[in-house]
Amino acid sequence: DDIFDVGIGSGNILGGSGNDVAILKYFDSDTMTIAAISDGIRVSGTQNKLGIEDAWSQDITGVERFRLACKSLDATQVVDLFG
């Protein structure tokens, strides 16, 4: 039962046993995309947190729920909404 506070930049999150939640509070649909991958999602961006061009991606797997704008969604719902 972990909570991951997801930021901007390259990295990976691997949830474990229990009911894990990833909080995507920095998602910007103008500079980022979300795609489905095996057992999760990939968030890719084109800018760093200073707004400078910088390609990056994060794989978030093994996480049961994603929180975005105070909504709790599963991986399929996140991709349907933003992918």
Side-chain angles (χ1 to χ4, degrees):
D1 291 344
D2 297 311
I3 297 175
F4 300 97
D5 192 1
V6 181
I8 294 173
S10 294
N12 295 307
I13 292 174
L14 176 58
S17 62
N19 189 19
D20 302 315
V21 176
I23 301 171
L24 305 174
K25 65 182 175 184
Y26 295 108
F27 185 76
D28 175 3
S29 61
D30 290 334
T31 63
M32 299 178 193
T33 59
I34 296 177
I37 59 172
S38 178
D39 194 29
I41 64 172
R42 174 171 292 138
V43 180
S44 300
T46 59
Q47 295 180 357
N48 64 23
K49 57 185 156 186
L50 300 175
I52 298 169
E53 187 172 326
D54 184 23
W56 58 268
S57 68
Q58 299 177 8
D59 288 353
I60 305 172
T61 57
V63 173
E64 287 72 34
R65 303 297 291 173
F66 297 85
R67 189 169 297 150
L68 181 66
C70 300
K71 289 186 178 183
S72 180
L73 310 169
D74 64 25
T76 302
Q77 292 169 317
V78 170
V79 171
D80 288 347
L81 191 61
F82 294 103

